[in-house]
Amino acid sequence: MLAWPAPLLPTLPGAGPVLRLFDTARGEVVATTPDRVARMYVCGITPYDATHLGHAATYLAFDLVNRVWRDAGHGVHYVQNVTDIDDPLLERAERDGEDWVVLGMRETALFREDMTALRVLPPDDYVGAVAAIPQIVAHVETLLDEGLAYALDDGTGDVYHDVAQAPGFGDESGYDEATMLALSAERGGDPDRPGKRNRLDPLLWRGRREGEPSWPGPRGTAGRPGWHIECAAIALDTIGMGFDVQGGGSDLVFPHHEFSAVHAEALTATKPFARAYVHAAMIGLDGEKMSKSRGNLVFVSKLRGEGVDPMAVRLALLSGHYRTDRAWTADLLAAAEERLATWRRAAVRGAGAPAAPVLAGLRERLADDLDSPGAIALVDAWAAATLAGDGDGDGDGDGDGDGEDGAPAMVADAVDALLGVDLFGAAPQEG
Ligand code: 5CA
Ligand code: ZN
């Protein structure tokens, strides 16, 4: 699938330090250990509605991972999926009397526009579930052949993974069974379905139902893929086992990331699926998680339509730490707009407070589990110091401001490359 255009990425002098991230499986901040090319898989959207600020926050967190690795000198092989066939897509299409393919394509197109506007670096492989069906079917057949999966005998053709045979089951989330059962029921699982060997067993393949789209499936059983095997198959096909970061929102810790790992580890008889499982916290609105099912959504595209600068949206979402659940508020956006205007006023000066400490500080803050609030505070301090110069105090008579010549341009490059905020994108107001 087509991804979206890449924003320009300035090259900075020197290189940043090793990126450390909180790994859900180990329960602590660990150093990432990428090879020359770092490998990252981030779970993509289910395109039945527009991108809201929760989705955006999650993709911005992993955009920082991408940027920090690149700044440290690594190449990055970044993969993202699109769940372009699943229950919610079919349900929404049915509700609105629309073709599910058209709905999915339209919302994916809007997502691309939103990501482009937010200056998110695009994935190298952008893969839809439908396109991955042949690989998924082959994997389900392998699991059946090896006796690790089973078909229900109720005539549906539904196939489940037998998790009792998966030695690594539970390693990713670390949850106890009661928690798993509760989350499974809440997030698309079917713990109470009769005929399953284990209540937690995840669906690998759903046999054809009247009125639903279907594809040729394992052992000739038409149907459509389960959700977790989609991400396992796409990751295996693009970046293979043992990749550096599996990412997504914290609502994917269980069951999705647990079972994607279990499927891939069973298929390859190796561990681990990912070296680190990294989760972005939830963005809320009015005291609840922002979610399509609750309908309490603020869309990126709606804000763009209202003329809000996407760089202010980006700054607003990055002004909180990615692992802290936080709320979207009008004040958050207003503060980000003001901050952006201040940074832009400082960035157009010809001289300002020294740049090197800002670059070093940004690198240090972001490498420390993506401390974007700490990074932003450094730029705030730099902008304040730069703007506090009286404009001609350095005696060179150029009216550019006190301090180091060229520092503002260098800081703007660092802010662009590391935080993804373009300070020259809108007409700056000098003041
Ligand atoms: N297609 C699957 C992943 S394979 C899916 O979860 N799609 S989604 O459209 O529901 O979510 C897309 C991404 O946004 C996921 O990484 C999800 O964890 C994240 N996400 C969803 N809601 C929020 C929220 N309120 N705050 C932060 N991230 C969120
Ligand atoms: Zn996924």
Side-chain angles (χ1 to χ4, degrees):
M1 227 183 236
L2 198 71
W4 55 89
L8 281 177
L9 188 62
T11 308
L12 304 174
V18 169
L19 171 62
R20 293 155 50 78
L21 290 171
F22 186 88
D23 170 29
T24 300
R26 280 173 282 182
E28 59 185 351
V29 175
V30 297
T32 61
T33 52
D35 301 329
R36 192 178 56 80
V37 177
R39 293 172 291 157
M40 172 162 74
Y41 185 99
V42 177
C43 283
I45 54 162
T46 305
Y48 69 95
D49 209 338
T51 313
H52 61 61
L53 292 166
H55 303 137
T58 288
Y59 298 114
L60 287 174
F62 293 98
D63 190 52
L64 295 184
V65 172
N66 196 339
R67 287 168 183 272
V68 171
W69 272 337
R70 285 172 191 271
D71 180 56
H74 296 283
V76 180
H77 189 161
Y78 178 23
V79 183
Q80 194 179 119
N81 68 304
V82 185
T83 306
D84 58 1
I85 179 68
D86 203 2
D87 298 348
L89 195 65
L90 297 177
E91 286 160 14
R92 178 61 63 92
E94 169 85 22
R95 188 196 82 178
D96 296 349
E98 189 173 21
D99 185 324
W100 64 274
V101 177
V102 174
L103 171 64
M105 285 173 64
R106 186 181 64 239
E107 297 303 349
T108 305
L110 191 58
F111 176 72
R112 290 189 183 98
E113 280 180 28
D114 290 338
M115 292 297 105
T116 306
L118 291 171
R119 304 186 88 242
V120 173
L121 299 173
D124 304 280
D125 290 295
Y126 194 45
V127 186
V130 171
I133 286 176
Q135 292 94 306
I136 293 171
V137 170
H139 290 322
V140 176
E141 274 175 345
T142 302
L143 292 172
L144 283 166
D145 290 348
E146 293 180 359
L148 301 174
Y150 59 96
L152 288 197
D153 59 8
D154 59 3
T156 56
D158 293 357
V159 179
Y160 285 86
H161 194 153
D162 185 0
V163 295
Q165 298 189 60
F169 178 53
D171 287 357
E172 183 265 340
S173 67
Y175 292 157
D176 60 24
E177 193 177 4
T179 308
M180 288 183 178
L181 281 167
L183 289 174
S184 165
E186 196 182 301
R187 297 176 182 166
D190 51 8
D192 297 327
R193 180 158 183 200
K196 288 170 64 174
R197 289 183 191 164
N198 183 311
R199 295 179 70 195
L200 289 168
D201 288 350
L203 183 73
L204 284 164
W205 185 258
R206 175 177 160 90
R208 198 181 87 83
R209 304 292 200 278
E210 196 52 42
E212 287 186 8
S214 64
W215 291 263
R219 298 184 174 168
T221 311
R224 58 184 171 93
W227 175 28
H228 320 305
I229 190 68
E230 165 190 342
C231 288
I234 294 171
L236 285 178
D237 203 39
T238 50
I239 45 177
M241 290 296 283
F243 58 88
D244 297 286
V245 164
Q246 157 74 308
S250 59
D251 56 343
L252 301 185
V253 172
F254 192 90
H256 186 54
H257 286 172
E258 188 77 60
F259 287 131
S260 297
V262 159
H263 293 331
E265 290 170 3
L267 278 163
T268 59
T270 62
K271 267 180 89 63
F273 179 50
R275 295 182 192 171
Y277 299 89
V278 180
H279 294 102
M282 291 292 111
I283 301 295
L285 185 74
D286 305 329
E288 284 204 88
K289 172 194 163 187
M290 197 177 281
S291 76
K292 290 181 247 197
S293 50
R294 287 189 179 86
N296 59 336
L297 306 174
V298 179
F299 295 118
V300 176
S301 44
K302 172 112 191 311
L303 292 176
R304 289 198 288 120
E306 289 165 2
V308 174
D309 188 327
M311 291 300 94
V313 176
R314 185 165 176 123
L315 260 186
L317 290 171
L318 293 181
S319 68
H321 189 246
Y322 83 102
R323 283 200 294 119
T324 307
D325 285 337
R326 53 208 196 273
W328 177 263
T329 62
D331 287 351
L332 191 74
L333 179 60
E337 286 173 327
E338 201 179 312
R339 167 174 282 135
L340 184 63
T342 305
W343 289 11
R344 282 179 169 158
R345 279 200 305 278
V348 293
R349 293 278 176 101
V358 182
L359 173 57
L362 283 177
R363 282 176 160 154
E364 196 259 329
R365 284 298 81 228
L366 291 174
D368 180 10
D369 197 27
L370 308 178
D371 177 12
S372 57
I376 287 171
L378 291 173
V379 183
D380 281 345
W382 173 85
T386 295
L387 292 171
D390 64 8
D392 53 10
D394 62 357
D396 65 5
D398 65 4
D400 270 342
D402 292 321
E404 186 178 287
D405 281 336
M410 224 187 116
V411 170
D413 268 1
V415 166
D416 185 351
L418 295 169
L419 287 171
V421 176
D422 177 8
L423 295 182
F424 301 120
Q429 293 163 339
E430 183 58 47

